[in-house]
Amino acid sequence: MQCHAAVTQIKLPAGWTFAALIAGLALGWLLSETAASATALAIAGPVGSVWLRALQMTIVPLVAALLVTGITQMVATARAGPVARRTLLTFFIILFAGTLFAAFATPALLEVFPIPGRAEAALAAESATAQPVPGIGEFIESLVADNVIAAAAETAMLPLVVFFVALGAAISRLEGVQKDVMLRLFEAIGQTMLIIIGWVLRVAPIGVFALAVSVGLASGGGAFAALGHYILIISGLGLVILLAGFLLGILASRRGPIGFTRALVPSLAVAISTQSSLASLPAMLQSCRLLGVRETTADFVLPLAVALFRATGPVMNLGVAIYVAKLTGVELTPQLMAVGIAVALVTTIGSVSLPGAISFITAIGPIALAMGVPIEPLAILVAVEMLPDIMRTLGNVVMDVAVTATVDRNKPRGPDPSASSGRANISTRT
């Protein structure tokens, strides 16, 4: 799916968005104790709300499109041969372990390093009321929607995820023209939604400024400390994955820390400058050659990793959802944590490997909604995502190369049916 191409034609004003965030918080802080505060809130509130709703309206159709195409691609890959299945199993083990880590580590970090200032109470007041926690019986019943249209209207993400995963699996069983038509339909929907997101993000400085004014009016200077705290906590989760990737790569390549790091330099340079693992793919192929990875392995595993495996995705996305839950006072029971882990793992299949500002809300929104966590604070956090997103990309790139070296080390010598088709026609939808 070529949905990344159309979006990357739109230049995203990341620097202006960050500046608008700072300016909005500062203005709100200055006006918070003045007679003009009510007027400022009356103007900024609706503007920010409209911009947030414009982002929210793309969540369900984009998740549907990317889950369906991701599931069909994963099923096709699993049929390619034993090496492909071992690669997918390696992906899953790393993603599952990382997501479990985030589920336990994020609440622990927030207990040790609590969110500072008045921002916690302010953001909780500004957010929508959290969804009630269902009992175990209601939870089981909620897994399957009797009316998927009604579920979409209510943004009931858990039954929607179940439905679209089943739909993707069913489409993978179709043959010929029917399968091609269905896949093209969902690919087109996904591409269209990403174009709309690109349009909405072009006016992000206006929307973020309005939202930031509202937050500044409520929290004063506490929001600045909270945003810095958020960046450190979420980037720290990504750093753990990056270090784990280095350890795995050193063991798999048998090159030692210095040799593995030298081979990664081209990939890391591109990753920092582009914040996209897709754009880093040619450099990652070069890194694998420097590590002595067989070309057939690299040509198969790396594009597959870029398409389906984003090691930092479920870890940092779940971490953000837990952070917002803490901000808004949502109590996360073990049941809700389990839901978050499951949705984070499934939706990473359909996430897009583009700069985080494009996919931030559509990637984290489904997790938060499934856990009953309000998503309004995400519209503020997206303005600083360019900083954690660097860690996301670095962690993904390091882990992609490390997994490729691991698969190559464990692959038997001789003909490899999984890699015989070169890059296995991996979709570039990411």
Side-chain angles (χ1 to χ4, degrees):
M1 182 176 176
Q2 303 293 335
C3 58
H4 75 283
V7 178
T8 51
Q9 296 301 312
I10 299 175
K11 187 176 181 180
L12 301 178
W16 284 105
T17 302
F18 183 75
L21 172 69
I22 301 301
L25 290 175
L27 179 61
W29 185 10
L30 290 173
L31 297 178
S32 59
E33 303 297 334
T34 68
S37 60
T39 302
L41 184 60
I43 297 173
V47 174
S49 178
V50 168
W51 182 76
L52 174 62
R53 290 184 181 188
L55 282 177
Q56 287 179 270
M57 71 180 181
T58 63
I59 290 178
V60 171
L62 183 60
V63 168
L66 296 181
L67 270 183
V68 167
T69 54
I71 290 294
T72 54
Q73 183 178 352
M74 187 175 66
V75 171
T77 301
R79 294 172 178 170
V83 172
R85 288 190 287 273
R86 283 197 297 271
T87 302
L88 290 177
L89 179 60
T90 304
F91 290 170
F92 176 78
I93 291 172
I94 293 173
L95 291 173
F96 183 68
T99 310
L100 279 181
F101 164 75
F104 287 99
T106 310
L109 285 171
L110 292 176
E111 286 296 324
V112 177
F113 306 103
I115 301 171
R118 296 162 48 197
E120 181 173 350
L123 288 175
E126 292 292 322
S127 301
T129 303
Q131 300 175 11
V133 179
I136 186 64
E138 292 178 274
F139 170 71
I140 293 174
E141 290 179 357
S142 71
L143 292 174
V144 178
D146 57 354
N147 186 332
V148 71
I149 305 299
E154 297 169 1
T155 325
M157 290 309 305
L158 190 57
L160 287 176
V161 168
V162 171
F163 173 78
F164 289 119
V165 167
L167 182 61
I171 290 174
S172 69
R173 301 293 297 273
L174 296 175
E175 300 290 342
V177 175
Q178 289 182 327
K179 181 177 181 179
D180 185 62
V181 168
M182 290 296 290
L183 284 178
R184 287 181 178 273
L185 170 63
F186 280 98
E187 287 175 354
I189 291 173
Q191 180 174 352
T192 303
M193 291 302 104
L194 286 175
I195 292 173
I196 293 175
I197 291 172
W199 290 343
V200 175
L201 289 176
R202 290 188 70 173
V203 295
I206 298 174
V208 168
F209 177 80
L211 290 169
V213 168
S214 299
V215 172
L217 288 169
S219 65
F224 289 100
L227 288 173
H229 179 269
Y230 163 81
I231 292 169
L232 291 175
I233 293 291
I234 301 304
S235 298
L237 296 175
L239 178 61
V240 172
I241 301 303
L242 184 148
L243 295 176
F246 265 101
L247 179 61
L248 178 63
I250 290 167
L251 294 175
S253 66
R254 300 177 180 175
R255 292 299 179 98
I258 297 177
F260 184 72
T261 303
R262 283 178 177 172
L264 273 178
V265 167
S267 300
L268 297 178
V270 177
I272 292 173
S273 61
T274 64
Q275 297 180 39
S276 169
S277 53
L278 176 63
S280 305
L281 180 56
M284 285 192 282
L285 289 168
Q286 179 184 351
S287 294
C288 284
R289 285 195 295 270
L290 293 174
L291 290 171
V293 175
R294 282 170 286 188
E295 186 174 344
T296 53
T297 304
D299 283 354
F300 176 76
V301 177
L302 274 178
L304 184 64
V306 169
L308 296 177
F309 176 62
R310 280 157 291 277
T312 62
V315 179
M316 297 178 73
N317 292 346
L318 181 61
V320 173
I322 295 172
Y323 195 99
V324 174
K326 182 67 174 178
L327 272 177
T328 55
V330 176
E331 181 182 356
L332 293 179
T333 64
Q335 176 183 313
L336 290 177
M337 277 293 195
V339 170
I341 290 170
V343 175
L345 283 171
V346 172
T347 54
T348 193
I349 297 170
S351 58
V352 291
S353 190
L354 291 165
I358 297 176
S359 58
F360 182 78
I361 291 181
T362 54
I364 300 168
I367 303 170
L369 290 170
M371 297 171 72
V373 176
I375 66 172
E376 283 77 3
L378 298 180
I380 289 290
L381 299 180
V382 71
V384 297
E385 174 57 17
M386 62 181 180
L387 300 175
D389 192 43
I390 295 174
M391 187 61 69
R392 286 178 182 267
T393 309
L394 289 174
N396 289 340
V397 165
V398 172
M399 192 62 82
D400 286 353
V401 173
V403 167
T404 304
T406 301
V407 172
D408 187 65
R409 178 179 175 180
N410 296 329
K411 189 176 73 172
R413 297 287 171 179
D416 178 8
S418 298
S420 61
S421 59
R423 297 191 181 181
N425 195 30
I426 295 298
S427 166
T428 58
R429 64 180 176 82
T430 56

